[in-house]
Amino acid sequence: MLVAQSAFAQSTQVTGTVLDETGEPLIGASVIEKGTATGSATDFDGNFVLFVKDPASAVLQVSYVGYETQDVALKGQTKITVTLKESSALLDEVVVVGYGQQKKESVVGAISQVNSDDLLETPAANLSQAITGKIPGVITSQTSGAPGADDAQIFIRGRATFASDAQPLILVDGIERSFSQIAPDDIETISVLKDASATAVYGVRGANGVMLITTKRGKEQKPVVSLTANWQFQTPTRKDTYLDSYQSVMLLEEALANDGLPSQYSAADIEMYRKSVAGQLSGLDALLYPNVDWYDEVLKSSAPAQRYNASVRGGTKRIRYYASLEYYNQGSLFKELSNDPYGNPSSLHYRRYGFRANADFFLSKDLTLSVNFGTRFEERKGPNSREEDKHSEIYYQANHIPGWLFPVAYQAQNGETTKTLYAGTSQYQLNPYAILAESGYYKGVNTVNETNFIADYKMDWLTPGLSARAMMSFDYENYHRSLYSKSFATYELMKDNNGVPYDPTSIDSYNRFNSDGTLAHSRSSFTLYKLYMEAQLNYKRIFNQVHDVTAMVLYMQNDFRRQSELAHRYQGVVGRVTYGYDNRYLAEINVGYNGSENFAKGRRFGFFPAFSLGWRIAQESFMENTRNWLDNLKLRASYGQVGNDSYSQRFLYEQKWLQIGNDYYFGTSGQTGIFEQQYPNYAVTWERAHKYNVGLEFGLFNSTLTGNIDYFYEKRNDILTEYLTRPWWFGVSSAAGNLGKTTNQGYEIELHYNNSIGRDFNYSVGLTYSHAKNKIVAMDEPANKTGYRKREGHAIGQFFGLIADGFVTQADLDGGKLPVSTFGDVKVGDLKYRDMNGDGFIDDRDETFIGYSDIPENTFALTLGANWKGIGFSVMFQGVDHVSRYYDAEAMYAFVNGGKVKEHHLDRWNPALSEAQNLAQAKYPLLHYDSNGNHNQRQNSFFLKNGSFCRLKNIELSYTLPEKWTKHVFMSQCRFYVNANNLITWDHLDGLTDPESSGSNRYPICKTVNFGVNIQF
């Protein structure tokens, strides 16, 4: 006490106020006397009190997040007012990291960040699509464009495990949540943590990378109201290429002849099909020789969508707030064909209502309480058909049912009324038009409520720089689905023994398949509960103006429950210490000690450390001569360990038993028995990734040119793997073991150039390129397994199949050395497979590695932007390379399962041409019908496609009205824009399908044209 009094007696009290440019006080601004450890912070009114040694020579350093730091020389003054200028550049320099934030200049981990403006340049209302091409090292793969089911898969730095789907951990405002259907307008930043130094604090779940989504919060400013409206039109990126009836039956007759099967159509029939295609038939002839384009019958050429968003953002010295409302309505390509008397639709439909409110309450100069609340109501409607992200019943039937067999429907007399009879046969009973019209419908409603309650408490009274934080979150999600199903009949027009059709106007002239039923109702639902808690201590302080120290320790617990299932639980303690010396030398230690209930007691927790170093070379005195052109040069390196506990099955350490009926008999009476279904693995634990990263950051010419270059290497072991070496006579299935090993390595390049010409024109160029190549080192394959059949040594997801060495020729058949195919008879023009084991037969044992993996090794994006007097233009090209795709049968094969043919089948091996001509120009093997084509229709190198592509991913043209116009109607901004995504795609598929999809039996990926307006008040 006496010492303190003596110290104050030798000092002078200085008081002051810190304001922003609008005159509002800044709460919590830092005021430090330069050259000392003496500091203070402003209160609710922006006031501070500080004791300095000598007011005549003292210099105060005043700083606040998002504002330019200002040095104020007192020159003997003891009462001052300081006005800080807001710096948008500094706002961008704050990077979201695990359980906190850091200044970009002090970050030594591999972290990339994208903000709201970048996301809104794409018209995609699904966030998982909006990030495509915008973040280096992030690979997205969208396989479906179905409304409400169009999420893209996300991979960070490729894929390094084969035990799970390798998806990253995704956190929204610090909580694990689904994020794809959050309104893009609500997002502040998306931060991607890629190396171990950034993800070690997530320990057992950080091996696949982490994405941190941060929603917008209030600012200390006058309220800003923003209104946005978007109107969209979506069309498939690829059109169907199915042949008309005339071309189809021509190829059908050729295929039947190739197989030695009897002809189905005479020359006269074929001529009638020619007339049908030309539109020259009517009446009965049009029914007997149809030319049905099922795509045209059940699908529209485009689908509409619209999105509206309203938000308000502002705050005072005591409260900050952000609130938003969103409405999104997306239609589909399905036609409205429903005959439901109550008007329920047959077209897929997705509707989303969203509300978000984030508020910060400054209860005192030390205590802040924050509340985040987000809710969504998602409504899905559609026909009673199997419509999933990986399969669409409507598209499958439209792809499969031949258009030359029967019309869409017949009109027949049923008593005194005329009845519509949907056409079909015993083989093709699921008429897609009838599915939409008669099979019923479903309604699904998903309600999502997400809450965060946060308390921040500064404890500078205990020691400067110390603070505590606590958060609790409760999320609730309920999905309820009502299905109204109805059976329907299809009809086939009969013919007499001479092939003459019966009277099509009589209902007695038809074979009927199934029957018309009445609507039956069924329900399904599920409920999800999430409870998350964390308690955190933070420390941040600068000593002697050169020693910058921060520390964090945190306890977390996460419970996730679906219905009455046993809860998924994660629990742990994490910590971080950072040290910076003189803003030049940086060091960081991150540790996670956490675990999962998925493992046996005693093996649930693990320790995951990470270490990183950084050197800001440009700050060195020997770089003094470069500072007029070199703004930033930082070298960083890291090593650490992180885990992954994801696997398709829980509780591998438990014994599993199963009851089976009629397991044994007493006489003739069967008795129920029990057998061991799975032998447990008591030692099972998580897989562990060892990650290395070296990075270089630079900025040139006043940050006109900036860039990042990273090299990474990952060695992963203990991957959960089935026991492939355990023999069958072991007698029981074994739980997976930690047997797998992989490596993954690559590099990332990110470059940005921003400049201006004159006062009104500025432009930018951005380039990102990423390469990631993985390899399976071990997966418990038997040592004596044939080398060319092993997965070990190849990429995860590597395609395996037969190698096709061109087409079979007559010389091959006559030479007697052609291996015998076990898949069917081989003729001239069929695919010639390589006999890998030389046993004289072609079978599954000849399959070997072909092509690449299904995840691209290389990804790239080029972004161009310009602004001139309110006119804005931006364009982004995005693409992938070194990737292979194997598309579904209906997209590739001719007459598969009695199906159809496409344009590329016209380039088949044509028996009417010479062998030399076919060898020179054939692009498809000899045609066969149905199962007779089994030899060619194997997974092989001939049908494995190059999945590389380049897209015009996003393009936008905008105009912002001059302020001198908008201020007269009390607007601060009015911006009109038109943008589009997936507009043009260049690939190697010749229109077969979209290269990013997995084929045509699913809702297609679409290109979108969007018109929008944004108004701010």
Side-chain angles (χ1 to χ4, degrees):
M1 177 76 71
L2 291 174
V3 174
Q5 291 176 344
S6 176
F8 283 125
Q10 299 173 14
S11 303
T12 301
Q13 178 178 290
V14 175
T15 62
T17 304
V18 180
L19 308 172
D20 64 13
E21 293 176 282
T22 66
E24 292 290 330
L26 293 176
I27 304 170
S30 174
V31 184
I32 299 174
E33 181 184 359
K34 294 192 70 173
T36 72
T38 304
S40 181
T42 58
D43 60 16
F44 278 118
D45 299 314
N47 299 325
F48 68 89
V49 177
L50 187 68
F51 288 87
V52 300
K53 293 180 180 180
D54 182 8
S57 60
V59 176
L60 303 186
Q61 185 178 72
V62 185
S63 62
Y64 190 74
V65 174
Y67 291 77
E68 296 179 359
T69 300
Q70 188 173 339
D71 290 342
V72 181
L74 290 179
K75 297 180 181 180
Q77 299 179 85
T78 58
K79 186 174 183 180
I80 63 172
T81 298
V82 181
T83 301
L84 295 184
K85 295 181 179 180
E86 188 173 5
S87 172
S88 59
L90 285 178
L91 285 173
D92 293 338
E93 295 297 316
V94 177
V95 176
V96 178
V97 299
Y99 302 114
Q101 293 182 341
Q102 291 181 0
K103 291 183 179 180
K104 186 176 181 180
E105 63 185 22
S106 65
V107 172
V108 288
I111 302 175
S112 296
Q113 188 165 286
V114 64
N115 60 33
S116 178
D117 292 339
D118 294 326
L119 297 174
L120 293 174
E121 287 180 353
T122 174
N126 186 308
L127 273 179
S128 66
Q129 300 173 31
I131 64 175
T132 299
K134 298 183 183 298
I135 309 174
V138 174
I139 302 169
T140 62
S141 179
Q142 181 190 355
T143 58
S144 171
D150 52 354
D151 287 7
Q153 284 188 308
I154 298 172
F155 301 92
I156 296 177
R157 289 185 166 177
R159 183 169 49 188
T161 181
F162 50 81
S164 64
D165 59 7
Q167 300 291 287
L169 175 65
I170 299 176
L171 305 176
V172 179
D173 290 332
I175 312 299
E176 184 179 0
R177 292 166 172 159
S178 60
F179 82 108
S180 61
Q181 299 299 344
I182 295 176
D185 308 74
D186 290 347
I187 303 302
E188 187 72 61
T189 61
I190 296 180
S191 190
V192 178
L193 317 184
K194 295 180 277 192
D195 70 340
S197 69
T199 64
V201 289
Y202 298 102
V204 72
R205 309 195 67 196
N208 297 326
V210 180
M211 288 182 61
L212 305 178
I213 289 90
T214 304
T215 59
K216 290 179 178 177
R217 311 200 66 77
K219 295 181 179 180
E220 192 174 339
Q221 63 182 23
K222 295 179 180 179
V224 175
V225 177
S226 179
L227 305 175
T228 303
N230 293 275
W231 300 272
Q232 301 178 355
F233 299 93
Q234 299 176 330
T235 57
T237 59
R238 289 289 183 270
K239 296 181 178 180
D240 75 284
T241 59
Y242 288 105
L243 299 178
D244 59 42
S245 291
Y246 172 67
Q247 292 175 306
S248 297
V249 295
M250 290 285 289
L251 294 187
L252 174 61
E253 286 299 306
E254 182 180 307
L256 294 172
N258 292 338
D259 296 333
L261 298 175
S263 171
Q264 293 185 11
Y265 298 100
S266 66
D269 291 331
I270 294 175
E271 174 60 19
M272 292 296 285
Y273 276 114
R274 186 194 65 76
K275 291 181 179 180
S276 177
V277 171
Q280 299 172 357
L281 299 183
S282 62
L284 179 60
D285 287 339
L287 298 178
L288 295 177
Y289 302 97
N291 180 41
V292 178
D293 183 339
W294 288 108
Y295 269 64
D296 187 57
E297 295 294 339
V298 300
L299 301 173
K300 299 181 293 186
S301 59
S302 66
Q306 51 188 316
R307 191 168 70 87
Y308 305 95
N309 185 275
S311 67
V312 58
R313 189 177 199 179
T316 66
K317 60 184 179 182
R318 296 187 182 277
I319 182 174
R320 297 175 189 168
Y321 54 86
Y322 171 82
S324 73
L325 286 168
E326 187 211 29
Y327 171 73
Y328 178 57
N329 190 345
Q330 183 183 12
S332 76
L333 296 169
F334 292 2
K335 286 184 176 179
E336 288 288 3
L337 302 176
S338 175
N339 290 327
D340 180 71
Y342 303 104
N344 291 290
S346 63
S347 180
L348 284 174
H349 200 91
Y350 175 71
R351 186 178 288 120
R352 181 175 76 208
Y353 306 86
F355 171 72
R356 183 169 299 276
N358 295 341
D360 303 307
F361 302 93
F362 300 90
L363 302 183
S364 71
K365 67 182 181 68
D366 295 325
L367 179 61
T368 302
L369 295 181
S370 300
V371 177
N372 299 351
F373 176 73
T375 186
R376 295 192 309 276
F377 299 95
E378 300 175 5
E379 182 182 74
R380 293 171 171 86
K381 296 181 179 180
N384 175 27
S385 63
R386 182 185 168 194
E387 302 300 323
E388 302 169 356
D389 57 346
K390 295 182 179 180
H391 180 86
S392 166
E393 183 68 27
I394 296 298
Y395 271 93
Y396 171 75
Q397 296 299 340
N399 291 335
H400 184 65
I401 296 180
W404 63 87
L405 287 180
F406 46 79
V408 174
Y410 304 99
Q411 299 296 320
Q413 204 67 26
N414 183 24
E416 296 181 356
T417 62
T418 300
K419 182 178 181 180
T420 298
L421 306 180
Y422 296 103
T425 66
S426 60
Q427 184 176 356
Y428 307 102
Q429 298 180 22
L430 292 178
N431 182 318
Y433 193 103
I435 292 176
L436 294 180
E438 298 290 345
S439 68
Y441 58 93
Y442 78 90
K443 293 181 179 180
V445 177
N446 194 35
T447 303
V448 180
N449 291 306
E450 300 169 342
T451 57
N452 290 39
F453 303 95
I454 308 163
D456 283 288
Y457 183 55
K458 296 179 181 178
M459 298 194 296
D460 293 315
W461 52 270
L462 183 61
T463 184
L466 183 65
S467 64
R469 184 176 188 269
M471 179 168 69
M472 185 180 75
S473 170
F474 177 73
D475 293 356
Y476 169 85
E477 180 175 350
N478 175 264
Y479 180 73
H480 180 87
R481 187 175 190 265
S482 292
L483 174 63
Y484 299 86
S485 58
K486 176 178 175 291
S487 62
F488 61 88
T490 52
Y491 296 82
E492 180 181 28
L493 182 62
M494 294 186 292
K495 298 179 181 180
D496 62 22
N497 293 333
N498 296 319
V500 177
Y502 292 133
D503 178 11
T505 64
S506 172
I507 198 170
D508 297 325
S509 299
Y510 295 89
N511 281 324
R512 190 187 74 185
F513 308 100
N514 302 313
S515 60
D516 293 314
T518 57
L519 282 176
H521 180 222
S522 62
R523 296 179 180 180
S524 61
S525 64
F526 67 81
T527 303
L528 303 178
Y529 307 89
K530 299 177 186 177
L531 178 63
Y532 177 84
M533 294 177 288
E534 72 177 35
Q536 182 178 6
L537 280 176
N538 293 291
Y539 180 75
K540 181 178 182 180
R541 194 167 177 183
I542 300 176
F543 297 92
N544 298 327
Q545 299 299 307
V546 294
H547 303 284
D548 190 344
V549 178
T550 72
M552 179 272 290
V553 62
L554 176 143
Y555 167 81
M556 57 77 64
Q557 180 173 308
N558 184 24
D559 292 343
F560 166 77
R561 189 187 304 272
R562 179 186 174 102
Q563 301 288 82
S564 58
E565 294 178 0
L566 288 173
H568 298 253
R569 174 170 290 181
Y570 297 95
Q571 187 180 43
V573 178
V574 300
R576 174 170 52 237
V577 176
T578 71
Y579 173 74
Y581 176 75
D582 196 25
N583 207 24
R584 289 182 291 162
Y585 308 114
L586 309 170
E588 186 172 319
I589 299 175
N590 288 272
V591 296
Y593 179 75
N594 48 26
S596 164
E597 44 54 62
N598 206 23
F599 306 124
K601 188 176 180 180
R603 304 188 66 86
R604 289 174 177 162
F605 287 84
F607 181 69
F608 302 93
F611 312 92
S612 52
L613 297 172
W615 180 23
R616 299 192 67 203
I617 305 173
Q619 302 302 113
E620 294 286 358
S621 57
F622 60 78
M623 299 292 287
E624 186 81 29
N625 294 332
T626 66
R627 290 181 183 171
N628 61 335
W629 60 272
L630 181 64
D631 310 308
N632 177 40
L633 184 62
K634 180 168 71 175
L635 182 66
R636 47 185 170 76
S638 68
Y639 164 75
Q641 299 177 19
V642 277
N644 178 37
D645 72 331
S646 179
Y647 191 64
S648 58
Q649 182 182 338
R650 298 179 71 189
F651 309 130
L652 294 169
Y653 60 89
E654 288 189 332
Q655 288 182 306
K656 293 188 180 298
W657 300 85
L658 186 69
Q659 286 186 327
I660 183 172
N662 298 326
D663 188 32
Y664 59 95
Y665 286 81
F666 285 123
T668 59
S669 177
Q671 303 296 316
T672 298
I674 188 171
F675 73 98
E676 189 172 17
Q677 185 184 24
Q678 177 179 281
Y679 188 77
N681 185 342
Y682 301 107
V684 70
T685 185
W686 50 79
E687 61 188 63
R688 185 174 290 262
H690 304 258
K691 297 195 175 194
Y692 304 81
N693 192 92
V694 177
L696 181 69
E697 300 176 11
F698 59 87
L700 307 174
F701 314 118
N702 197 25
S703 295
T704 300
L705 175 63
T706 60
N708 292 281
I709 302 174
D710 277 87
Y711 169 79
F712 60 89
Y713 175 79
E714 176 179 353
K715 181 175 64 175
R716 195 172 294 202
N717 51 30
D718 293 334
I719 298 174
L720 287 169
T721 308
E722 293 182 14
Y723 283 88
L724 302 179
T725 57
R726 193 158 287 179
W728 285 105
W729 49 259
F730 185 72
V732 64
S733 298
S734 298
N738 298 107
L739 307 172
K741 298 179 181 179
T742 64
T743 61
N744 185 39
Q745 62 180 326
Y747 56 88
E748 299 164 0
I749 300 173
E750 181 180 10
L751 300 173
H752 294 282
Y753 182 78
N754 298 274
N755 209 341
S756 60
I757 300 175
R759 295 174 52 187
D760 300 320
F761 184 78
N762 57 73
Y763 62 96
S764 63
V765 180
L767 174 67
T768 62
Y769 184 88
S770 304
H771 170 77
K773 184 176 178 61
N774 62 65
K775 182 174 70 173
I776 299 173
V777 177
M779 58 181 306
D780 199 43
E781 288 187 299
N784 60 353
K785 186 177 181 179
T786 308
Y788 67 83
R789 299 183 65 198
K790 279 192 173 184
R791 265 59 176 173
E792 294 173 353
H794 300 286
I796 301 167
Q798 167 75 56
F799 282 96
F800 276 71
L802 300 169
I803 295 179
D805 291 325
F807 300 111
V808 173
T809 64
Q810 190 61 48
D812 293 324
L813 294 178
D814 296 340
K817 295 183 180 180
L818 188 70
V820 176
S821 173
T822 62
F823 306 123
D825 295 335
V826 176
K827 294 183 170 66
V828 172
D830 285 330
L831 294 179
K832 178 168 57 178
Y833 295 132
R834 189 177 302 178
D835 185 8
M836 294 298 297
N837 58 3
D839 65 353
F841 293 92
I842 298 298
D843 53 25
D844 293 340
R845 291 172 294 181
D846 294 306
E847 292 181 350
T848 186
F849 52 92
I850 53 177
Y852 294 100
S853 165
D854 59 343
I855 298 295
E857 291 181 5
N858 305 321
T859 61
F860 61 87
L862 173 66
T863 305
L864 308 173
N867 285 279
W868 178 74
K869 292 186 176 181
I871 300 175
F873 176 77
S874 65
V875 60
M876 184 178 78
F877 297 91
Q878 174 258 339
V880 301
D881 187 28
H882 281 199
V883 58
S884 296
R885 304 282 189 193
Y886 212 90
Y887 299 103
D888 54 47
E890 277 66 31
M892 295 190 299
Y893 301 145
F895 303 114
V896 60
N897 297 322
K900 306 198 294 191
V901 276
K902 307 184 80 171
E903 288 180 359
H904 68 272
H905 297 130
L906 293 172
D907 295 326
R908 80 288 185 195
W909 182 287
N910 190 344
L913 300 179
S914 68
E915 187 174 282
Q917 288 176 302
N918 279 313
L919 289 173
Q921 63 189 39
K923 298 179 181 178
Y924 191 89
L926 190 72
L927 293 179
H928 297 279
Y929 184 72
D930 207 347
S931 60
N932 294 290
N934 283 352
H935 170 83
N936 293 328
Q937 295 167 4
R938 316 297 303 177
Q939 184 156 302
N940 57 55
S941 60
F942 184 88
F943 288 112
L944 186 68
K945 302 299 181 181
N946 182 350
S948 303
F949 66 84
C950 178
R951 287 195 200 277
L952 177 53
K953 188 64 181 179
N954 296 314
I955 184 170
E956 180 179 271
L957 179 65
S958 65
Y959 179 62
T960 303
L961 296 179
E963 184 180 355
K964 62 182 181 181
W965 296 356
T966 58
K967 67 181 181 181
H968 295 298
V969 288
F970 308 105
M971 295 180 185
S972 59
Q973 177 180 289
C974 182
R975 178 175 176 265
F976 298 91
Y977 53 90
V978 56
N979 51 28
N981 73 330
N982 296 340
L983 202 58
I984 304 174
T985 303
W986 297 272
D987 57 43
H988 304 273
L989 302 180
D990 296 327
L992 178 69
T993 187
D994 188 281
E996 198 171 1
S997 75
S998 294
S1000 56
N1001 291 337
R1002 60 188 66 199
Y1003 196 98
I1005 295 174
C1006 291
K1007 52 187 173 183
T1008 302
V1009 177
N1010 176 75
F1011 301 89
V1013 59
N1014 173 253
I1015 300 172
Q1016 292 185 6
F1017 298 92

